[in-house]
Amino acid sequence: MSDDLDQLVRAALAEDAPAGDLTSRLTIPAGTVCTAELVVKQIGVLAGVEAAAAVFTAAADQDRTSLTIDWKLADGDTVAPGDRVALLDGAAATVLRAERPALNLLGHLSGIATLTRTYVEAAAPAQILCTRKTLPGLRAVERSAVVSGGGTLHRASLSDAILIKDTHVRIAGGVAEAVRRAQSGGVPVEVEVETLEQLDEAIAEGADRILLDNPTPERVRDAIARVGDPMRLEVSGGVRLENLRAFVDAGARVLSVGRLTHSAPSLDLSLEVIELHD
């Protein structure tokens, strides 16, 4: 487990039971052991198995109890109502304390994978990229969920790639000047443009990649004709399932979609206790 994931699951457990699970402490006899199952309640794509497992493991470590998990499915698997994701055996109080944080992560990340898969299948043969529109502290696991859904990763942070946005362009004094300055960094330069005139500036300055913001399908077609290589043009902003095919039919082969991470509905899962042990 990475340090980031360890911090995430420990924070989630502390948030949900800062002084322990009062209800379980009063209602469950000490030493009670149970078998429980994680069950899917709707069609989707599974993601977040590592994160959910880490929650249960951390809870067992903190409680100094024993807990085993038998995972029946893996990230990227297509799931349907009634599918058993995992079977758990361990201290009942530990299982119940970890239940909600684990389900929150598993449901949220599976929702991202499910929405991503929907976009990916609708956009074929184009690529669907995620963005930095992630929840603080969850970027790594949300990006992993995008991959589970078949999506493609964009830059992970401001530190690992150059993407000149419209705000940079305004401050620098124009597309051409911003690109020239960025090229001094010695790494590939991507620049966001809103008009075909700005696109021409970016091409003339040798930008490695161009992000066309909030275009129409017609503008995408014109832009690709000017750029030449559709893989050099990223279409971003306003890309929805309803208009996705129009962009792809216009020639788009790289589309970024913020809603994959910021608006994906959670997949519905539940934990059910199916047996108690002496």
Side-chain angles (χ1 to χ4, degrees), residues 64-275:
R64 297 181 180 179
T65 58
S66 175
L67 192 154
T68 62
I69 310 175
D70 179 13
W71 291 98
K72 307 297 184 181
L73 296 167
D75 284 3
D77 286 347
T78 300
V79 294
D83 284 351
R84 177 182 282 177
V85 176
L87 200 62
L88 300 92
D89 282 288
T94 297
V95 170
L96 297 188
R97 184 166 78 88
E99 173 187 3
R100 180 43 50 198
L103 285 178
N104 284 352
L105 284 168
L106 195 63
H108 174 60
L109 299 176
S110 295
I112 290 173
T114 300
L115 184 60
T116 300
R117 179 74 56 82
T118 302
Y119 268 88
V120 167
E121 291 179 347
Q127 294 180 352
I128 294 295
L129 278 63
C130 59
T131 71
R132 286 170 38 247
K133 294 178 181 178
T134 56
L135 290 173
L138 294 183
R139 181 168 295 172
V141 292
E142 289 181 343
R143 282 166 60 84
S144 179
V146 168
V147 173
S148 295
T152 301
L153 298 180
H154 210 307
R155 60 176 178 164
S157 72
L158 295 175
S159 300
D160 63 11
I162 293 176
L163 173 49
I164 302 168
K165 302 288 285 183
D166 58 339
T167 44
H168 299 103
V169 169
R170 291 194 196 100
I171 294 170
V175 168
E177 182 60 23
V179 171
R180 280 194 294 269
R181 293 181 185 181
Q183 286 171 334
S184 66
V187 297
V189 173
E190 181 174 7
V191 58
E192 175 185 327
V193 302
E194 297 176 345
T195 67
L196 294 179
E197 291 73 22
Q198 288 181 321
L199 178 77
D200 289 339
E201 285 187 63
I203 295 171
E205 289 301 325
D208 298 281
R209 193 168 183 175
I210 301 164
L211 185 154
L212 187 59
D213 191 39
N214 286 302
T216 61
E218 293 73 22
R219 181 163 290 179
V220 168
R221 186 176 288 106
D222 290 342
I224 290 174
R226 297 185 187 212
V227 172
D229 179 4
M231 298 303 295
R232 190 180 168 194
L233 185 79
E234 176 184 340
V235 175
S236 183
V239 178
R240 305 181 301 276
L241 285 171
E242 309 89 79
N243 62 15
L244 177 59
R245 200 66 230 173
F247 288 119
V248 176
D249 291 343
R253 291 298 177 265
V254 180
L255 304 101
S256 55
V257 182
R259 69 188 61 221
L260 298 183
T261 49
H262 74 58
S263 298
S266 290
L267 190 72
D268 195 6
L269 302 104
S270 66
L271 182 145
E272 305 293 338
V273 174
I274 58 176
E275 189 176 353

